Amino acid sequence: MQKQRPVYLDVASIRLPIPGIVSILHRVSGVILFISLPLLLYFFQGTLSHSDDFLAYTKVVANPLVKIILLGLLWAYLHHFCAGIRFLFLDMHKGLELNTARTTAKAVVIISLVLTAILGVALW
């Protein structure tokens, strides 16, 4: 009897379930937040220093591209926060059922996007 060789899997055609997507986005948002930490500290330092530095800071932050980047960082923070709470519950063995896991993953995506929109409009 011959062994069957593995079938070639097209990774791009495999559909990842929503809990898997939330897990990957949680990791990606954590990396983005870690990498952007020097930029955020620079902006924070600009708000606390002399008035000339603060005026330069306001000019930089007034740029639409910078606002979009900060909006993306806001989403990364909110998604990481919401997904982290979800994973804390999963670590306590709450919400492990398939339907509950899918529902909470969808809730993380929706809540983080809604909070980003609300805070983005309020801060823009």
Side-chain angles (χ1 to χ4, degrees):
M1 178 175 214
Q2 288 183 343
K3 291 184 179 180
Q4 283 189 331
R5 298 195 55 96
V7 178
Y8 170 74
L9 295 176
D10 184 14
V11 178
S13 68
I14 296 174
R15 186 166 176 251
L16 195 62
I18 188 75
I21 294 170
V22 167
S23 177
I24 290 171
L25 287 177
H26 180 72
R27 293 168 189 246
V28 169
S29 64
V31 169
I32 289 170
L33 289 172
F34 180 75
I35 290 173
S36 67
L37 196 57
L39 174 71
L40 295 174
L41 289 175
Y42 169 74
F43 283 154
F44 184 63
Q45 182 264 337
T47 63
L48 298 177
S49 55
H50 303 310
S51 61
D52 295 335
D53 292 338
F54 183 74
L55 291 174
Y57 160 78
T58 55
K59 287 181 184 178
V60 169
V61 174
N63 185 346
L65 180 62
V66 174
K67 285 185 177 184
I68 290 172
I69 291 170
L70 291 175
L71 191 65
L73 290 175
L74 178 64
W75 170 82
Y77 171 75
L78 292 171
H79 177 81
H80 197 76
F81 179 76
C82 294
I85 291 173
R86 177 181 179 266
F87 289 130
L88 283 175
F89 279 104
L90 290 176
D91 288 343
M92 294 185 295
H93 302 285
K94 306 289 184 198
L96 294 177
E97 297 78 26
L98 183 60
N99 288 333
T100 308
R102 286 181 179 161
T103 304
T104 57
K106 290 175 187 175
V108 164
V109 172
I110 292 169
I111 290 170
S112 65
L113 288 174
V114 167
L115 286 175
T116 302
I118 290 170
L119 290 173
V121 168
L123 297 175
W124 194 279

